[in-house]
Short mmCIF file of all heavy atoms in Angstrom, two decimals:
data_model
loop_
_atom_site.label_atom_id
_atom_site.label_comp_id
_atom_site.label_asym_id
_atom_site.label_seq_id
_atom_site.Cartn_x
_atom_site.Cartn_y
_atom_site.Cartn_z
N ASP Y 91 -124.12 65.17 -28.45
CA ASP Y 91 -123.90 64.07 -29.29
C ASP Y 91 -123.95 62.79 -28.55
O ASP Y 91 -123.53 61.75 -29.06
CB ASP Y 91 -122.56 64.31 -29.95
CG ASP Y 91 -121.44 64.45 -28.92
OD1 ASP Y 91 -121.65 64.36 -27.76
OD2 ASP Y 91 -120.22 64.63 -29.34
N ASP Y 92 -124.38 62.80 -27.29
CA ASP Y 92 -124.63 61.51 -26.46
C ASP Y 92 -125.73 61.83 -25.50
O ASP Y 92 -126.24 62.96 -25.35
CB ASP Y 92 -123.36 61.02 -25.84
CG ASP Y 92 -122.80 61.97 -24.76
OD1 ASP Y 92 -123.40 63.10 -24.53
OD2 ASP Y 92 -121.85 61.67 -24.11
N VAL Y 93 -126.06 60.81 -24.80
CA VAL Y 93 -127.14 60.88 -23.86
C VAL Y 93 -126.51 60.76 -22.40
O VAL Y 93 -125.67 59.87 -22.15
CB VAL Y 93 -128.15 59.68 -23.97
CG1 VAL Y 93 -129.31 59.77 -22.93
CG2 VAL Y 93 -128.69 59.57 -25.41
N LEU Y 94 -126.95 61.79 -21.54
CA LEU Y 94 -126.44 61.68 -20.15
C LEU Y 94 -127.73 61.62 -19.31
O LEU Y 94 -128.61 62.45 -19.42
CB LEU Y 94 -125.74 62.98 -19.81
CG LEU Y 94 -125.36 63.09 -18.34
CD1 LEU Y 94 -124.36 62.02 -17.89
CD2 LEU Y 94 -124.64 64.54 -18.08
N ILE Y 95 -127.83 60.56 -18.51
CA ILE Y 95 -128.91 60.33 -17.63
C ILE Y 95 -128.42 60.55 -16.14
O ILE Y 95 -127.63 59.82 -15.69
CB ILE Y 95 -129.48 58.86 -17.70
CG1 ILE Y 95 -129.69 58.61 -19.25
CG2 ILE Y 95 -130.73 58.77 -16.91
CD1 ILE Y 95 -130.20 57.13 -19.44
N THR Y 96 -128.92 61.64 -15.54
CA THR Y 96 -128.57 61.88 -14.10
C THR Y 96 -129.69 61.52 -13.18
O THR Y 96 -129.50 61.42 -11.89
CB THR Y 96 -128.24 63.41 -13.94
OG1 THR Y 96 -129.31 64.16 -14.39
CG2 THR Y 96 -127.04 63.75 -14.84
N MET Y 97 -130.98 61.40 -13.74
CA MET Y 97 -132.11 61.03 -12.92
C MET Y 97 -133.02 60.28 -13.84
O MET Y 97 -133.19 60.49 -15.01
CB MET Y 97 -132.77 62.28 -12.39
CG MET Y 97 -134.09 61.95 -11.57
SD MET Y 97 -134.81 63.53 -10.92
CE MET Y 97 -136.13 62.82 -10.00
N THR Y 98 -133.61 59.16 -13.28
CA THR Y 98 -134.46 58.36 -14.11
C THR Y 98 -135.47 57.67 -13.17
O THR Y 98 -135.66 58.09 -12.00
CB THR Y 98 -133.69 57.32 -14.87
OG1 THR Y 98 -134.65 56.54 -15.74
CG2 THR Y 98 -133.00 56.19 -14.01
N LYS Y 99 -136.14 56.59 -13.53
CA LYS Y 99 -137.04 55.88 -12.71
C LYS Y 99 -136.44 54.44 -12.58
O LYS Y 99 -135.90 53.94 -13.60
CB LYS Y 99 -138.42 55.81 -13.24
CG LYS Y 99 -139.15 57.19 -13.14
CD LYS Y 99 -140.53 57.05 -13.57
CE LYS Y 99 -141.15 58.42 -13.56
NZ LYS Y 99 -142.63 58.44 -13.94
N ASP Y 100 -136.51 53.85 -11.40
CA ASP Y 100 -135.96 52.53 -11.21
C ASP Y 100 -136.98 51.51 -11.93
O ASP Y 100 -137.99 51.84 -12.47
CB ASP Y 100 -135.70 52.16 -9.74
CG ASP Y 100 -136.96 52.16 -8.85
OD1 ASP Y 100 -138.13 52.12 -9.54
OD2 ASP Y 100 -136.79 52.23 -7.66
N ALA Y 101 -136.69 50.23 -11.74
CA ALA Y 101 -137.55 49.18 -12.33
C ALA Y 101 -138.93 49.14 -11.77
O ALA Y 101 -139.90 48.64 -12.40
CB ALA Y 101 -136.92 47.84 -12.11
N TYR Y 102 -139.16 49.81 -10.63
CA TYR Y 102 -140.39 49.94 -10.09
C TYR Y 102 -141.15 51.18 -10.32
O TYR Y 102 -142.13 51.58 -9.72
CB TYR Y 102 -140.39 49.67 -8.54
CG TYR Y 102 -139.79 48.28 -8.19
CD1 TYR Y 102 -138.49 48.18 -7.59
CD2 TYR Y 102 -140.40 47.16 -8.46
CE1 TYR Y 102 -137.89 46.93 -7.34
CE2 TYR Y 102 -139.87 45.88 -8.14
CZ TYR Y 102 -138.65 45.84 -7.61
OH TYR Y 102 -137.97 44.67 -7.30
N LYS Y 103 -140.54 52.01 -11.23
CA LYS Y 103 -141.04 53.27 -11.67
C LYS Y 103 -141.08 54.35 -10.56
O LYS Y 103 -141.89 55.26 -10.57
CB LYS Y 103 -142.48 53.15 -12.20
CG LYS Y 103 -142.55 52.25 -13.49
CD LYS Y 103 -144.02 52.10 -14.03
CE LYS Y 103 -143.96 51.29 -15.30
NZ LYS Y 103 -145.29 51.14 -15.88
N ILE Y 104 -140.10 54.32 -9.66
CA ILE Y 104 -139.88 55.30 -8.70
C ILE Y 104 -138.71 56.16 -9.12
O ILE Y 104 -137.66 55.60 -9.43
CB ILE Y 104 -139.68 54.69 -7.32
CG1 ILE Y 104 -140.73 53.72 -6.81
CG2 ILE Y 104 -139.38 55.75 -6.20
CD1 ILE Y 104 -142.05 54.41 -6.74
N ALA Y 105 -138.86 57.48 -9.03
CA ALA Y 105 -137.77 58.41 -9.51
C ALA Y 105 -136.64 58.29 -8.64
O ALA Y 105 -136.71 58.22 -7.40
CB ALA Y 105 -138.27 59.78 -9.52
N VAL Y 106 -135.38 58.21 -9.16
CA VAL Y 106 -134.16 58.06 -8.46
C VAL Y 106 -133.06 59.01 -9.15
O VAL Y 106 -133.11 59.13 -10.30
CB VAL Y 106 -133.67 56.62 -8.36
CG1 VAL Y 106 -134.53 55.83 -7.50
CG2 VAL Y 106 -133.52 56.09 -9.78
N HIS Y 107 -132.21 59.56 -8.27
CA HIS Y 107 -131.06 60.26 -8.81
C HIS Y 107 -129.89 59.27 -8.90
O HIS Y 107 -129.68 58.43 -7.99
CB HIS Y 107 -130.70 61.42 -7.83
CG HIS Y 107 -131.59 62.61 -7.86
ND1 HIS Y 107 -131.50 63.54 -8.85
CD2 HIS Y 107 -132.58 62.98 -6.98
CE1 HIS Y 107 -132.36 64.52 -8.59
NE2 HIS Y 107 -133.04 64.15 -7.50
N LEU Y 108 -129.28 59.29 -10.01
CA LEU Y 108 -128.14 58.38 -10.25
C LEU Y 108 -126.82 58.89 -9.71
O LEU Y 108 -126.60 60.11 -9.60
CB LEU Y 108 -127.96 58.08 -11.71
CG LEU Y 108 -129.15 57.51 -12.41
CD1 LEU Y 108 -128.81 57.31 -13.94
CD2 LEU Y 108 -129.37 56.01 -11.85
#
Side-chain angles (χ1 to χ4, degrees):
D91 57 3
D92 67 357
V93 183
L94 175 63
I95 309 176
T96 59
M97 181 178 180
T98 187
K99 292 184 179 181
D100 64 16
Y102 301 108
K103 298 184 178 181
I104 303 299
V106 292
H107 286 282
L108 297 175

